[in-house]
Amino acid sequence: MQSDFAGLPRLEDVAREAGVSASTASRVLNGNRPVADGYRQRVLAAARLLGYTANLAAQATARGRYPAVGLVVGDISDQFFARVASGVIHESSKRGLVVNIVSTDGDAGRELEVIRELRRQRPQSLVLVRKRDSTPAANAGLVVELQSFEREGGRVVVVGESSRPMSAIRPPDFDGGKELARALTKLGYRSFAAVTSADPVRSSDDRIDGFRAGLSAAGIALADRDVYSAHSSLPGGMQAAAQYLASGRTVELIFAIEDMMALGVLYGLERAGISVPKDIAVAGYGGRRMETVDLHGLDLTTVRAPLEEMGAAAVSMTVENDEPAVIGLQPEVILRASTPPR
Amino acid sequence: MQSDFAGLPRLEDVAREAGVSASTASRVLNGNRPVADGYRQRVLAAARLLGYTANLAAQATARGRYPAVGLVVGDISDQFFARVASGVIHESSKRGLVVNIVSTDGDAGRELEVIRELRRQRPQSLVLVRKRDSTPAANAGLVVELQSFEREGGRVVVVGESSRPMSAIRPPDFDGGKELARALTKLGYRSFAAVTSADPVRSSDDRIDGFRAGLSAAGIALADRDVYSAHSSLPGGMQAAAQYLASGRTVELIFAIEDMMALGVLYGLERAGISVPKDIAVAGYGGRRMETVDLHGLDLTTVRAPLEEMGAAAVSMTVENDEPAVIGLQPEVILRASTPPR
DNA sequence: TTGAAAGCGGTACCAC
DNA sequence: GTGGTACCGCTTTCAA
């Protein structure tokens, strides 16, 4: 073989350099068992001198476990997946775990396939990130695969949607919608419209449901005819704004379940001569870092979805062996200029 | 140790089940050397029956190389990194390589640190993705580290900025700007303004320079006073639009070096009562999938940066052992409604 | 405390 | 073709 890690120092090289046995060198480097201080120093010096780093794969075969988390995302260019992945990567790094990432390419049917791919590496845990639950059909083989993984000592955590009896971290969409409603009613708003995604994603519904619940608590009803739906994107938001305008109804505030849609709504309204927030207020959801450049009106009120935290929590769950559970995190309402007090 | 891959079938289990030696089983499963067809079938059957998948780490220690690519990104929630990563992941998957991902957290100074982290896994190659070249200071240790990696048979490809004598894949920003200018002049535009990023990123400059070069070819000059700069974001674009309006100058088309900025420009203009594309045209750059919902005017002309392709090309470069080289890919000008023929 | 030796799950050379 | 065996780099008993 040609490129056999050629040149990289092995544990034995360190041991020889330090004049001790490989066992001792190993003990020093892994710091578990006691080693005479003189030897300890020499081993450490030798390791530093040679620039030694343990071969993770060899360690893994010897130890019987690979300190890795397998990360399955749908599409890493999508903000949702990217932000969760970011959290997974950071938390893993903190905990000395490496991250092996695979993508289903947006095709949920490939989940099983990529998980098998991932398992070749014998990761300690699997973090599946999804926007929607897998279809019952795809689910069949998947559940078998995951259970066998857990039976072999692996841990699985699903971030996002999951109906399976499996540890999961759900985005606090309902609560986020609810708290937003509460904050807005507290600001004095009394009549609302909402814009949701035409795509059946659970998050959207939850946000709307939560929003509605929050309004109810203040004695305000959100009529179905005041809920518009469109593609979850900036253009979609413009379309929704057009629908709203065409309806002839007027409300004090429009809540869009996604920031880009909210921007689209904003844009659609303004180009129709309706000023935000003077004539109407707008709120979004997502909380992507929308640089708060001081621009009249573009300071969008939003709810920050704790996606990075969810990714981090997923990793934590897999290492601390808590009971399987479904946990949620706290959303954060961010009030800005697009919804001034009334 | 508890979770020692417990329960997972080993090669030996497959061999026993098939009634052959481990060597033979290995040969069948790796398909290199000849094996009698009878045995072959039995081994394959046994493997299928037991659900056997080779332990990648063990294979790696035995073979002396790990079929993995180490991917270093600055911030995976950033579209640029995410799209490149997407390409890396797909291409790797195609080629049977696993992807180990780490992030510098946006702190270029951490690059060396995370690369060391990555090298514990003995990946065959390293793909570094960056928006800007590393600082000379950080560069010092980095170059040593990377050269030692290459000396040991690893391959390194930088995607994005790199001044080092190292294989790199540069985004075709200059060409993209140039081709855009050519396409626009061909449509009949004659006077232009541009909006660039206040942040010193090479891509921005290249796009502007290319744009300028393209205009020159048509005998048109882009004056410095017609180049505005702002934060590369939607609000930044709005600011730039405000600057443009305040300048009192009028041009036929405004080119912003980033799509979100272009949208901000669009928005800023329209809210000032200037209609796009009726009164003025706008073009962007980036080509993120901007869903082409049929909305008057929001169909933004742009240049598609081939980021996924760059990621894929990086992986290809590391496996096909071409000479180290700096290669570029083709940008794609996408003319849409925001720049109608004049 | 320390080192020798036996693994970990595989691969690949060797002789039959 | 096939199986025995040494070995990959590291960990972890086990005796000394």
Side-chain angles (χ1 to χ4, degrees):
Chain A
M1 300 300 81
Q2 45 219 32
S3 66
D4 2 355
F5 307 150
L8 278 188
R10 296 158 307 149
L11 180 62
E12 203 191 303
D13 298 321
V14 174
R16 184 179 324 108
E17 176 74 25
V20 300
S21 73
S23 331
T24 299
S26 171
R27 287 192 274 256
V28 170
L29 266 11
N30 295 297
N32 6 353
R33 312 228 157 278
V35 170
D37 204 61
Y39 280 179
R40 169 181 308 287
Q41 300 307 338
R42 281 161 56 186
V43 170
L44 291 176
R48 194 167 12 249
L49 175 68
L50 269 46
Y52 174 78
T53 336
N55 179 324
L56 207 50
Q59 259 180 337
T61 54
R63 294 213 246 245
R65 70 206 125 83
Y66 203 112
V69 13
L71 175 58
V72 181
V73 298
D75 170 12
I76 195 66
S77 347
D78 179 301
Q79 276 289 316
F80 174 77
F81 294 108
R83 286 184 52 198
V84 174
S86 176
V88 168
I89 294 170
H90 294 134
E91 187 64 25
S92 298
S93 169
K94 254 193 213 161
R95 294 179 180 269
L97 300 168
V98 302
V99 177
N100 298 132
I101 188 172
V102 296
S103 165
T104 61
D105 246 333
D107 175 1
R110 283 197 58 206
E111 222 174 13
L112 179 54
E113 181 186 337
V114 299
I115 288 176
R116 291 234 171 88
E117 177 83 8
L118 225 31
R119 289 192 65 192
R120 295 198 300 151
Q121 297 173 82
R122 308 291 188 268
Q124 291 184 159
S125 53
L126 246 28
V127 174
L128 314 187
V129 191
R130 20 163 107 122
K131 276 192 169 174
R132 57 202 88 199
D133 203 359
S134 54
T135 63
N139 218 347
L142 196 55
V143 70
V144 171
E145 181 80 12
L146 294 179
Q147 285 179 343
S148 102
F149 179 72
E150 293 196 316
R151 205 173 318 113
E152 284 138 20
R155 301 276 274 123
V156 179
V157 175
V158 177
V159 175
E161 289 319 308
S162 171
S163 60
R164 219 162 308 96
M166 194 150 280
S167 291
I169 297 185
R170 302 264 350 264
D173 291 311
F174 184 90
D175 289 351
K178 189 167 166 185
E179 290 195 13
L180 176 64
R182 190 153 61 140
L184 295 174
T185 53
K186 198 171 284 176
L187 285 180
Y189 290 92
R190 284 291 170 268
S191 64
F192 303 83
V195 177
T196 187
S197 168
D199 204 27
V201 173
R202 165 110 175 243
S203 283
S204 315
D205 297 342
D206 285 357
R207 290 173 189 177
I208 293 287
D209 291 347
F211 192 68
R212 199 168 241 143
L215 293 184
S216 289
I220 300 170
L222 179 64
D224 281 341
R225 65 175 167 189
D226 287 324
V227 179
Y228 304 92
S229 75
H231 189 274
S232 180
S233 66
L234 196 145
M238 291 179 66
Q239 251 173 353
Q243 289 172 36
Y244 164 74
L245 293 172
S247 77
R249 316 246 320 150
T250 59
V251 298
E252 295 167 4
L253 185 149
I254 299 181
F255 163 51
I257 54 91
E258 211 278 319
D259 284 338
M260 286 314 278
M261 284 189 100
L263 286 180
V265 168
L266 215 60
Y267 186 31
L269 292 171
E270 298 240 353
R271 81 169 0 196
I274 297 177
S275 168
V276 176
K278 201 162 65 66
D279 302 331
I280 188 172
V282 172
Y285 198 117
R288 100 180 46 190
R289 8 180 169 60
M290 199 76 77
E291 298 77 8
T292 311
V293 176
D294 184 17
L295 275 175
H296 7 259
L298 229 192
D299 245 348
L300 185 69
T301 283
T302 188
V303 180
R304 182 175 179 282
L307 302 182
E308 290 84 359
E309 289 84 345
M310 288 166 58
V315 173
S316 301
M317 272 184 76
T318 68
V319 8
E320 287 149 18
N321 37 8
D322 312 324
E323 293 303 295
V326 174
I327 76 170
L329 293 170
Q330 285 308 307
E332 180 192 356
V333 174
I334 303 172
L335 295 174
R336 294 198 278 222
S338 72
T339 60
R342 258 187 97 84
Chain B
M1 299 302 81
Q2 44 220 32
S3 64
D4 357 357
F5 307 150
L8 278 187
R10 297 156 307 148
L11 180 62
E12 203 190 303
D13 299 322
V14 174
R16 184 178 326 107
E17 176 74 25
V20 300
S21 74
S23 327
T24 299
S26 172
R27 286 192 276 257
V28 171
L29 267 10
N30 294 299
N32 4 356
R33 311 228 158 276
V35 172
D37 206 59
Y39 280 179
R40 169 180 307 288
Q41 299 307 336
R42 282 163 54 189
V43 169
L44 292 176
R48 194 164 14 247
L49 175 67
L50 271 44
Y52 174 78
T53 335
N55 179 324
L56 206 52
Q59 261 182 335
T61 54
R63 294 213 246 246
R65 69 206 125 83
Y66 203 111
V69 13
L71 174 59
V72 181
V73 299
D75 170 12
I76 195 66
S77 349
D78 180 300
Q79 277 289 316
F80 173 78
F81 294 109
R83 287 184 52 198
V84 174
S86 177
V88 168
I89 293 171
H90 292 134
E91 187 65 24
S92 298
S93 169
K94 254 193 213 160
R95 295 178 179 267
L97 300 169
V98 301
V99 177
N100 298 132
I101 189 172
V102 295
S103 165
T104 61
D105 245 332
D107 175 1
R110 283 197 59 205
E111 221 173 13
L112 179 55
E113 181 184 337
V114 299
I115 288 176
R116 292 235 170 90
E117 178 81 8
L118 227 30
R119 290 192 65 192
R120 295 198 301 151
Q121 297 174 81
R122 308 290 188 267
Q124 290 184 161
S125 53
L126 247 27
V127 174
L128 314 187
V129 192
R130 21 164 107 122
K131 277 192 168 173
R132 56 203 88 198
D133 202 0
S134 53
T135 62
N139 218 349
L142 198 53
V143 69
V144 171
E145 181 79 14
L146 293 178
Q147 285 179 342
S148 103
F149 179 73
E150 293 195 316
R151 205 173 318 113
E152 284 138 21
R155 300 276 275 123
V156 179
V157 175
V158 177
V159 175
E161 290 318 309
S162 171
S163 59
R164 217 163 307 95
M166 193 149 284
S167 290
I169 297 185
R170 301 266 350 262
D173 291 310
F174 184 91
D175 289 350
K178 189 167 168 184
E179 290 195 14
L180 176 63
R182 188 151 63 139
L184 294 174
T185 52
K186 199 172 284 175
L187 284 180
Y189 290 92
R190 283 293 168 269
S191 64
F192 302 82
V195 177
T196 187
S197 168
D199 203 28
V201 174
R202 165 109 174 243
S203 283
S204 315
D205 296 342
D206 285 357
R207 290 173 189 177
I208 293 287
D209 290 348
F211 192 69
R212 199 168 241 141
L215 294 184
S216 290
I220 299 169
L222 177 64
D224 280 341
R225 65 175 167 186
D226 287 323
V227 179
Y228 303 92
S229 75
H231 189 272
S232 181
S233 65
L234 196 145
M238 291 179 66
Q239 251 173 353
Q243 289 173 38
Y244 164 74
L245 293 172
S247 77
R249 315 244 323 148
T250 60
V251 297
E252 295 168 3
L253 185 149
I254 299 181
F255 162 53
I257 54 92
E258 210 279 319
D259 284 339
M260 286 314 278
M261 283 189 99
L263 285 181
V265 169
L266 214 60
Y267 187 31
L269 292 172
E270 297 241 352
R271 77 167 7 193
I274 297 176
S275 168
V276 177
K278 202 163 62 69
D279 303 330
I280 188 172
V282 172
Y285 198 118
R288 100 180 46 189
R289 6 180 171 60
M290 199 77 76
E291 299 78 4
T292 312
V293 175
D294 182 19
L295 275 176
H296 9 258
L298 228 192
D299 246 345
L300 186 70
T301 282
T302 188
V303 180
R304 182 176 179 284
L307 302 183
E308 289 85 358
E309 290 83 346
M310 287 166 60
V315 174
S316 301
M317 273 185 75
T318 67
V319 7
E320 288 147 20
N321 37 7
D322 313 324
E323 293 303 295
V326 174
I327 76 170
L329 294 171
Q330 284 308 306
E332 178 194 355
V333 174
I334 303 171
L335 295 174
R336 295 199 277 222
S338 72
T339 60
R342 259 186 96 84

